[in-house]
Amino acid sequence: MIAKTMTEMVKNSSAIRAMFEEGKRLAQQYGAENVYDFSLGNPNVPAPKEVKEAIGEILGTEDSLMVHGYMSNSGYEDVREAVAASLNKRFQTNFSGKNILMTVGAAGGLNVILKTLLNPGDEVLTFAPYFGEYRAYTANFGGILREVKPDTETFQPNLAEFERMLSPKTKAVIVNTPNNPTGVVYSEQTILRMAEILRSKQKEFGTAIYLISDEPYRELVYDGVKVPWLTKYYENTIVGYSFSKSLSLPGERIGYLVIPDEAEDSELIINAANVANRILGYVNAPSLFQRVVAKCLDAKADVAYYDRNRTALYEGLKKAGFSCIKPEGAFYLFVKSPVEDESVFCDMAKKYNLLLVPGSSFACPGFVRLAYCVSYETIINSLPKFEELGRECGLI
Amino acid sequence: MIAKTMTEMVKNSSAIRAMFEEGKRLAQQYGAENVYDFSLGNPNVPAPKEVKEAIGEILGTEDSLMVHGYMSNSGYEDVREAVAASLNKRFQTNFSGKNILMTVGAAGGLNVILKTLLNPGDEVLTFAPYFGEYRAYTANFGGILREVKPDTETFQPNLAEFERMLSPKTKAVIVNTPNNPTGVVYSEQTILRMAEILRSKQKEFGTAIYLISDEPYRELVYDGVKVPWLTKYYENTIVGYSFSKSLSLPGERIGYLVIPDEAEDSELIINAANVANRILGYVNAPSLFQRVVAKCLDAKADVAYYDRNRTALYEGLKKAGFSCIKPEGAFYLFVKSPVEDESVFCDMAKKYNLLLVPGSSFACPGFVRLAYCVSYETIINSLPKFEELGRECGLI
């Protein structure tokens, strides 16, 4: 009796749950310390101390009715102003509070902006490999997600194919940089060329094509890499942000959208996104955590922790004969499967209690994703297992 | 360039915003203490002290990664068990954690269950007057909301018309008791008859018709009135709850769905609702507040405060010649407009700085809603104004 669209979704979801359950089963059988679960993108660095301090300060000094009460659907005005000021300082932009809409995480923000923009049948382009939820979010509003095939050498967007796939039906393009699942940061050169293509196609079609930049990993970068701030490269850019990773608050569902004045029909989009936030049932981003993040805009999770994991795992994998790009951001490594069907490889890995996610989940078969937001001990203890696995695959 | 469906939504929303802005303008012009804003359902009783204590206790004793981290999309298992146990104690039911899905408020819960159940073209019935957002929530999934005309004598559901309107296309019925905007509690007699009709129509059509009970006001009742717990009257009942009013936490977006084992296809619905919570972009209910409400299931906002407001306003309105049902729950009074077009009456009221909401917003023209979740002083100071208004309308 459930909705037809949900039947397929439940089936896919069962596969993910099955993997999750398998992890729990293995932990029970072998002991949690002997299972190396690289399948979940759940931060394992605690929230910075500023979060707890901010909560204490807010509850100690602000009125309960204000802290826990309704506000404008777009969020507290002072919080939105604080976010705008912080972005302006970091990226030399000119946002004000009205350009910021506080959202229930980045997932909430993406749904709000897609609800705002999409008519049924509109196309949304994204670059494989990509976070599989984009497909569901687009389908929520009758949109059609089309994927640009990956460049598996660099994992930079395949812009030649992108240019061919843009059409008068393209309403939006979703990019995710630093990228889940590859950890790659799209280069400034990539972004410049992408903007050039988009502008030229807008002109050719007489349409507006919105670039939606999903940026939960913005602060998780290594080796001093810079992540271009996209509104400066392309006018019709809308940014979706989440504090899930930067402040290790994934359960709190707090993020924001940036809708710049330069975007076509900016005012209309701002108004409609405010309404969409309400009618999609979010109503507003959780109130206490709006006030918390406004006090923690300069705080950061311990990126050095992830960096140490990254280096140890990358070096260990290379030593075991595997090949992958050294990620510059996020907390994922995307490893080439040494056997053609990567789900077979995942099953082989499971025999060593190594839990990996098949690249097919990200529209990129032939690869597997490892989330290294785990303890350093897990990394170190897993390395001999990867060596055994590499040996079994004939890599060393 | 925004979505067509959003254009109309933005227009409607502008009317609400205009009223909100008008309130701010009047407050600026005459001083906030001289403006009597009865337009907003925003609790003005602070959260009970247990909320702050619970936050302190949780942050002091629980691990940051657990408190702010991801959990199952349906919520923390211990929280769901605690909610189930509390319901079982209060209503002599037999729920377990798996019957509970923690949601982003009741609005999130309603969207989750409608996404789970509705195919495009499915009908959802509700009883006028009703909370206008039901229309948007139903439309989000291609459903069609059909409203049963009100019984303006008692504001109990009009069951004769309800029976006629049920059809093989009816997938769900939404009820809201204690009711926004009338404050009426649906009687046990009403519920028994409604269940009887639903069962008979299910049999006639060979379908399942789900009764969705939207219950944010369950604990806000007066004069010892009992609100029937609907899963005990009708098997295919799904309850949506919010802590917004009972714990004065409307900004925190925390509530739950109850999906009983007795409901047809219960297991399928539970699984699909879990997935819907994820793909609608909620992902999970805010994590800290899941843990907070589990510790505050017996705490309550100060209902006596609202009760005093209710009595003072009701008596004052009667004295000024107005007629309305004395509400038994929630914090609304639904007053008969003494002039045919109630928006004309709202404009007349505005001259006395009295801000009311036209009944048309709730599909019930000829009435106006007053939200008495304001300060007692506002009520007392508004009464002479209502007398002047009653006099102008020739009521006294």
Side-chain angles (χ1 to χ4, degrees), chain B residues 371-387:
Chain B
Y372 56 80
C373 47
V374 297
S375 77
Y376 185 65
E377 291 62 42
T378 299
I379 305 266
I380 296 304
N381 294 335
S382 73
L383 296 182
K385 302 291 171 184
F386 278 113
E387 280 204 37

Side-chain angles (χ1 to χ4, degrees), chain A residues 171-182:
Chain A
K171 192 63 174 277
V173 176
I174 304 179
V175 292
N176 173 217
T177 167
N179 186 261
N180 173 11
T182 65

Side-chain angles (χ1 to χ4, degrees), chain A residues 68 115 140 251-252 280 282, chain B residues 68 115 140 251-252 280 282:
Chain A
H68 305 302
K115 169 89 172 171
N140 282 340
E252 302 298 354
L280 286 175
Y282 303 115
Chain B
H68 305 302
K115 170 88 172 170
N140 281 341
E252 302 297 354
L280 286 174
Y282 302 114

Side-chain angles (χ1 to χ4, degrees), chain A residues 53-129:
Chain A
E53 288 166 6
I55 296 174
E57 194 181 320
I58 291 163
L59 295 183
T61 60
E62 298 185 10
D63 178 13
S64 161
L65 291 178
M66 204 271 278
V67 173
H68 305 302
Y70 284 127
M71 80 301 305
S72 155
N73 298 120
S74 296
Y76 291 107
E77 288 176 23
D78 61 335
V79 170
R80 297 161 69 196
E81 290 293 347
V83 169
S86 164
L87 294 174
N88 292 342
K89 199 174 82 183
R90 290 172 65 192
F91 305 115
Q92 295 77 52
T93 46
N94 280 302
F95 303 121
S96 68
K98 81 172 199 316
N99 301 113
I100 309 297
L101 188 151
M102 301 303 297
T103 60
V104 173
L110 289 178
N111 275 278
V112 163
I113 196 63
L114 292 171
K115 169 89 172 171
T116 299
L117 294 176
L118 294 186
N119 287 310
D122 280 349
E123 292 185 359
V124 177
L125 261 55
T126 197
F127 299 93

Side-chain angles (χ1 to χ4, degrees), chain A residues 1 3-4 47 52 59 64 68 115-116 119 133 140 171 251-253 265 278-280 282 284 287, chain B residues 1 3-4 47 52 59 64 68 115-116 119 133 140 171 251-253 265 278-280 282 284 287:
Chain A
M1 297 304 298
K4 288 189 189 77
K52 196 168 162 179
L59 295 183
S64 161
H68 305 302
K115 169 89 172 171
T116 299
N119 287 310
E133 298 292 90
N140 282 340
K171 192 63 174 277
E252 302 298 354
R253 314 313 304 137
D265 289 319
R278 196 190 83 220
I279 66 178
L280 286 175
Y282 303 115
N284 54 256
S287 52
Chain B
M1 296 306 297
K4 288 189 189 76
K52 196 167 162 178
L59 295 183
S64 162
H68 305 302
K115 170 88 172 170
T116 300
N119 288 308
E133 297 291 271
N140 281 341
K171 192 61 174 280
E252 302 297 354
R253 315 311 304 138
D265 291 317
R278 196 191 83 220
I279 65 178
L280 286 174
Y282 302 114
N284 56 255
S287 53

